[in-house]
Amino acid sequence: MKPFDHYSPKTLPEALDLLAQMNGRARVNAGGTDLMLKMKAGFLQPEAIINIKRLPELKGVTYDETAGLTMGALTTLRDLTRTAVIRDHYPVLAQAAGLMASEQIRSFATVGGNLCNASPSADLAPPLMVLGGTAVIAHQNGVRELSLDDFFLGPGQSALKPGELLKEIHLPPPTGQTVYLKQSPRAYMDIAVVGVAVRLHQVNGRCREARVVLGAVAPIPLRAREAEAVLEENLVDNGRIAQAAQIAADACTPIDDVRGSAWYRQRMVQVLTRRGLTALAAP
Amino acid sequence: MPTSIIGKRIPKLDAPDKATGRTTYGHDVRLPGMLHGRILYTRHPHARILNIDTSKAEKLPGVRAVLTAADNPQTKFGYGKDNTAFKGDKIRCLADAVAAVAAIDPDIAAEALSLIEVEYEPLPAIFTIADALAEGAPLIHTERRSNRFHTYRYSHGDPDAGEAESDVIVEASYKLPYVSHACMETSVIVAQFDHRGHLTLWSTTQIPFLLQRDLSEALDIPGSQIRIIQTAIGGAFGRGLDIYPYEPIAALMARKTGKPVRLSFSRHEEFMAAPVRQPAEVLVRAGAKGDGRLTFRDVAADLDVGAYISWGAVTPLVMMETAASLYRVPHVRFSADCVYTNNPTTGAVRGYGNPQSTFFIETIMDQLAEALDMDQVDFRLRNANIPNSETPQGLIITSCGLKECLEAVAAAADRGAESEEWGAEITNYQLPITDYQLPITKPHLKRGIGFASTLNVGGGARIYRSDGCGATVKVDDFGHVTVVTGSTEIGQGSETILAQIVAETLGTHLHDITVINSDTDVKPWDVGVHASRTTFIAGNAAYLAAVDARGQIFETAAAMFGVSADNLIAGGGKIKVKDDENRVMSLSKAVRKRHFREDGQVVIGEGWYDPPTKLVDKDTYKGNISAAYGFGSQMAEVEVDTETGHVRVLRLACANDVGRAINPMAVEGQIEGGAQMGLGYALTEEVLVKDGRVLNPDFLDYRLFTSADMPAIETIIVETDDPGGPFGAKGVGEMGGTPTAAAIANAIYDAIGVRLTQLPMTPERVLAALDKKRGKEQTLAKFDSTLTC
Ligand SMILES: Cc1cc2nc3c(=O)[nH]c(=O)nc-3n(C[C@H](O)[C@H](O)[C@H](O)COP(=O)(O)OP(=O)(O)OC[C@H]3O[C@@H](n4cnc5c(N)ncnc54)[C@H](O)[C@@H]3O)c2cc1C
């Protein structure tokens, strides 16, 4: 690994000043479970590392029935699996986090790191997107908010600009039911070959709102809007589900790589979307 | 004979230190003034080197030496004597070393590598057997006239007549993958020369004495001036059975700099430069009579052995053993072509050719049983090997519990996945949410059961002119016993087993025994740790040494008691006169009496054991290669998701004839560890190689079975008391994973009616095979939205 400077700011403004000074030559380090691997492999060679683990502004989880959930970017995957308000109101997050990595990695890895790493297969992206998540982004002059639908730009590329930090994630109060399905050769310690998150909000047997987000089958976590459209305002029966699943599969643009062939990924989108919707539509 | 220590469940003696981080592995060795080496590998799989410029690298502060072929010996080494430390003119694969740097720290060494400029002239490269054997193909080793290294041809009986008399004949072709040893510890070596010019190596080799000889050739120094100290070894599985370029390279750097040099592989390097399991493409035909008797087998295998010959090219010896001698087959033909390519070099991996051949032989057995409409277990029992018999190949089978193994796993199958024995463990299995926890009906999940058996050498394997091992047993005046054995501990538990054998024989306590097994300057000769041989061979040697030491002690004790030595027995650290409870003395007292007197003597017993076996005939490949044979059977129950192709192994029952379990806990460990590798071979592990390059050189994309993926495993120990083994024991080190892939493939067929002939059986391959059965090719872009099977 190339030598680098290491900073450990104690407050958010201090961290933001440092980031601005370094002007793109520094990387922030949260859990380090993505960053360190890339540095060791030589893919990233930052001049400086800014450790953000001490920033109190990036910590904590709060929930309010009307305002919803706010969680700091430093919330770990382990926190997701154990925090009561998350388990009670957004169980899909606990479930998705429980499928990720191992207990050891989950204690280090953060929600912010998973999103900012901007991998198309990031397991938290699809569930946070179907829940309607918003990124709260801090910079030297304040904060800006951005829907997670617009957060990902390409593999490894998020909408964060130099000098910006992901401060927290906001979720509206939950409506409907949500599930995240992950297909990978191994049950644990594996990267998704395909990940599908589905949320279905039904009122009187009709779909009020549907969200379908697909992981690992496009350059970014992909919202399947056409699939959502055929469900919304309709009765979610087997025919509709099959139709939506097919549309979702058609919407994705997977690649052949060592983890899976394009045909298989596309097929899994169809299978998992159908299974997810079937499970949620059940009375 | 009643025993007090043999047959007991004893945790491995070295386990607590390993589990608590006290053990010194190769990666822990640090010597004063030590330098760090790094190797520069080529960028082309097949090329000519036009020029190497190291001047910039040499000027980098902190660099102590830059080595290339120019200033080093070009002596050929390795199993096929076709490899060299550095490549000077010709490159044959991406693991070829062009240069190496020794520097004061690893980062400087890495930076120096980037400053070395190499000019290549790329040559047309060969990545398939067909291309290698094509008319006018470029020669990988120009001094040979062909890329075909060797052809093995074996036969017994009259295969054509066997075919003619068959009532059913089945045929299938198979494709077997590269897999990695995936040792937790990557390859590592530290080399140091002393003032006499003698070389000491801290190494993870499995063959310290053969490596002495190999290095002596590669470095052009006498073997008597090479000392190999084996550090604790963090996984071997056959990786350490040959000499590899990094070993002489470390020594050459140490010689050039006059400093100790350490070379350790990154994980990436390990996947790229360490050998891999021999892949194969195989065509198999087999037949049987209507009454279930096997008639013939015909096996033709193509082996891409890679750019250099290591042990991969010898795996046909084991493949043919399975083809010729697993079950009783009157007529067998086997041929294998070993061909050079520019792909990775293949080597020995646990089971050594046997997981490959057991996969195709046991899935063919399944097809035969189906064609005959016979029960899978009955069909195998009908043809099972039997005790005290000789196979047409010349294997002399002494003890044989194959029948008992088959019956045991059949009984396990009958108990059912929901039975009490299995139920709890299976519900504890951690389920992927995708398929199992959804509140939907699951007609897409299908269950099936499959069986497979294995035959493995269990009493050494003579592949070198000696299959021997030496041992000494010293008893000191405190009654402490030091066992010095030629054998090597690679995590298989040999230290514990040898301590048990010696403790039982001397009648002393396990905690009074220390096993020394790591220094060629100290330990007597041994051919190496391979072929499941250590318990049998090193165990017999240690037993003989202990008997010798006991004889010396008894001689003194007999004089003290005034009885003949025949009347003495030893137990619990004491020597007793038979049938006279009052006449007892401690072992150490007798030893002190022997030491501390005029004309005193130390108590050192010695033993050398070389089994009564033969090298196979070099033309017919017949002969009794091992003094005993182990047998085993497995039953797998799987659940296949017909929509995702995901195969979940619900349970695996493993019965093994081990002669006698010297330590049942250690036997279970070997079987479960073997099964873990077998499950990976069956379902997830594959080194993906494209154009000679490894595409998945890390544990993210090379998928081992983790603890969370393991199914419930039932181990069943079958004891047959082998006449030649120490206390009746036979080897078990490799059998655990050998039949697993076949048992799972057979279970998948039982579940979904599809025969998979390519490993690993990944979700994608299973789904593609299902598609084919449904009449669709898997490359279809569009697909039916309501798949049913
Ligand atoms: C063994 C193993 C298994 C894994 N399994 C999975 C898995 O199953 N599923 C999965 O999705 N991932 C997996 N990962 C990847 C990784 O653990 C996760 O993506 C994790 O959530 C990353 O979080 P982190 O805090 O470690 O990120 P870091 O490595 O600290 O950071 C990742 C990137 O984000 C940037 N960053 C981090 N925090 C912020 C912030 N607040 N503001 C701006 N930029 C920021 C960093 O600069 C860096 O570029 C695995 C990794 C390993 C090593």
Side-chain angles (χ1 to χ4, degrees), chain A residues 1 95 99 182 184-187 190-191 246 250 259-261 263-264 267-268 270 272 274-275 279, chain B residues 107 433-435 440 444 641 643-644 646 700-701 703-704 709 763-764 767 771 778 782-783 785 787:
Chain A
M1 220 193 277
Q95 177 225 335
L99 288 171
K182 172 176 177 177
S184 54
R186 280 192 310 217
D190 215 341
I191 300 299
Q246 184 64 59
D250 289 342
R259 292 188 194 139
S261 311
W263 73 267
Y264 183 77
R267 175 92 144 256
M268 288 310 103
Q270 192 260 352
L272 300 188
R274 172 166 51 74
R275 284 185 187 174
Chain B
D107 290 334
I433 186 112
T434 314
D435 309 308
I440 54 174
H444 52 275
D641 184 326
E643 291 178 343
T644 64
H646 199 95
L700 179 57
D701 287 314
R703 290 183 181 78
L704 297 163
D709 302 303
E764 243 186 82
L767 197 59
D771 277 4
Q778 86 281 29
K782 293 279 168 189
F783 35 81
S785 61
L787 292 170

